[in-house]
Amino acid sequence: MGRSYFHLHLVSDSTGETLINVGRAAAAQYEGVSAIEHVYPLVRSAAQLDRVISEIRAAPGLVLYTLVGGDLGERLEEVARETGSPCLSVLRPVHDLLRAYLGAETTARPGAQHMLNAEYFKRIDAMNFTLAHDDGNLPEDLEEADVILLGVSRTSKTPTSIYLANRGLKTTNLPLVPGMPLPPAIERARKPLVVGLFASPERIVQIRQNRLSSLNADESSLYVDRSAVADEITMSRRLFTRNRWPTIDVTRRSIEETAAAIVDLYRDHRLKFIAD
């Protein structure tokens, strides 16, 4: 059977990140079906909504929206009914639940979750730190990190670090290279959570081969030799065990799943660090 497609219109008065994540998470559950995404961020006026409406009329499909202004939402739902496009306010069920529980009415504030508060600047600071300390750079600053990731080449250290930084965690990552010692500072680090990442040799070899192919590089080196890679991983896991660092097998994990596991580990580590 061939893959089928449908139009998915995502209308937001903010960045649209919430809708994109919800839409993709839901669509991923349907095998053989793909969404053609139409994303409309920062829709806060009737004129901006008119452009959205014209595109929905040209390509009817599912409509998900997060418009906190009542008039815009009502107009969008009216056009959705006219075009036969199922329409849902993604946040409305959550607002209804909160309203019933808190006994309070909402205050319409488009993009309120992106206000420039302390949490926002914490994430920016974490991102700057993480980018500056990628791939073993500035090892003397290890104690300033919240999380230190270790692993052989191609264990998704950098993308995981970036994801964690977006969650507000200052993250540095150190590559484990045969014959290259780790910076001494890691032995003295107490504040950061140190996590070892590893994957199956087959997975690492596959990723490395793809990397070399994209660079038109020689693929006959030990870098992609299955036996050599297995030795690298074995040595890395012995290092993790010897230092009692928690480990995560990233063979079949997405970056998001790995990051979520690290965040859980960090919460426990932080509580123990404060207690000490």
Side-chain angles (χ1 to χ4, degrees):
M1 293 179 63
R3 179 169 292 274
S4 61
Y5 297 86
F6 68 97
H7 292 281
L8 177 61
H9 298 273
L10 306 172
V11 190
S12 173
D13 52 24
S14 186
T15 63
E17 293 177 15
T18 300
L19 283 174
I20 292 171
N21 290 334
V22 170
R24 289 178 180 175
Q29 307 306 312
Y30 297 88
E31 188 175 355
V33 179
S34 295
I36 301 173
E37 294 179 353
H38 306 261
V39 183
Y40 316 95
L42 302 174
V43 177
R44 299 179 180 178
S45 69
Q48 291 168 328
L49 185 62
D50 285 342
R51 181 179 67 85
V52 175
I53 289 172
S54 65
E55 294 204 26
I56 293 175
R57 283 176 169 155
L62 293 180
V63 180
L64 302 179
Y65 73 90
T66 53
L67 301 175
V68 297
D71 292 343
L72 295 180
E74 290 175 4
R75 173 65 175 145
L76 181 62
E77 291 194 357
E78 178 185 338
V79 171
R81 285 192 296 271
E82 292 174 2
T83 59
S85 301
C87 184
L88 175 68
S89 169
V90 170
L91 293 180
R92 183 180 295 160
V94 181
H95 282 314
D96 290 344
L97 185 63
L98 284 172
R99 186 185 300 113
Y101 182 75
L102 299 174
E105 291 298 318
T106 61
T107 300
R109 294 189 299 161
Q113 72 272 32
H114 299 291
M115 292 177 65
L116 302 184
N117 54 20
E119 187 66 26
Y120 174 83
F121 288 107
K122 179 183 177 183
R123 292 202 309 272
I124 296 300
D125 189 36
M127 187 64 72
N128 289 334
F129 179 93
T130 300
L131 292 174
H133 295 78
D134 181 43
D135 201 29
N137 286 320
L138 303 176
E140 64 274 11
D141 296 338
L142 289 180
E143 187 64 24
E144 298 178 25
D146 296 313
V147 176
I148 300 173
L149 301 182
L150 299 174
V152 303
S153 173
R154 304 295 114 183
T155 45
S156 303
K157 296 184 298 297
T158 293
T160 303
S161 297
I162 298 299
Y163 194 95
L164 290 170
N166 197 44
R167 296 287 298 272
L169 295 179
K170 293 181 179 179
T171 308
T172 186
N173 68 81
L174 302 175
L176 298 180
V177 181
M180 293 288 290
L182 286 171
I186 197 169
E187 301 291 343
R188 303 188 298 270
R190 293 294 176 264
K191 176 176 137 321
L193 165 70
V194 182
V195 180
L197 305 181
F198 69 94
S200 69
E202 292 75 19
R203 180 59 175 160
I204 295 296
V205 168
Q206 179 187 36
I207 297 173
R208 289 183 179 184
Q209 286 175 333
N210 291 338
R211 174 66 173 166
L212 291 178
S213 294
S214 68
L215 299 174
N216 294 319
D218 180 17
E219 296 185 30
S220 62
S221 68
L222 292 176
Y223 184 68
V224 292
D225 179 80
R226 201 268 180 207
S227 178
V229 170
D231 288 343
E232 281 187 59
I233 296 169
T234 297
M235 293 298 292
S236 72
R237 297 190 68 178
R238 287 176 181 169
L239 173 69
F240 303 151
T241 300
R242 185 165 64 248
N243 289 278
R244 298 182 180 179
W245 291 326
T247 62
I248 298 176
D249 183 351
V250 301
T251 304
R252 294 182 176 83
R253 284 180 184 259
S254 66
I255 301 300
E256 294 84 356
E257 289 172 325
T258 301
I262 293 171
V263 169
D264 281 342
L265 290 170
Y266 178 76
R267 290 195 188 102
D268 292 340
H269 172 79
R270 189 62 182 160
L271 289 174
K272 292 177 182 176
F273 178 78
I274 293 172
D276 293 339

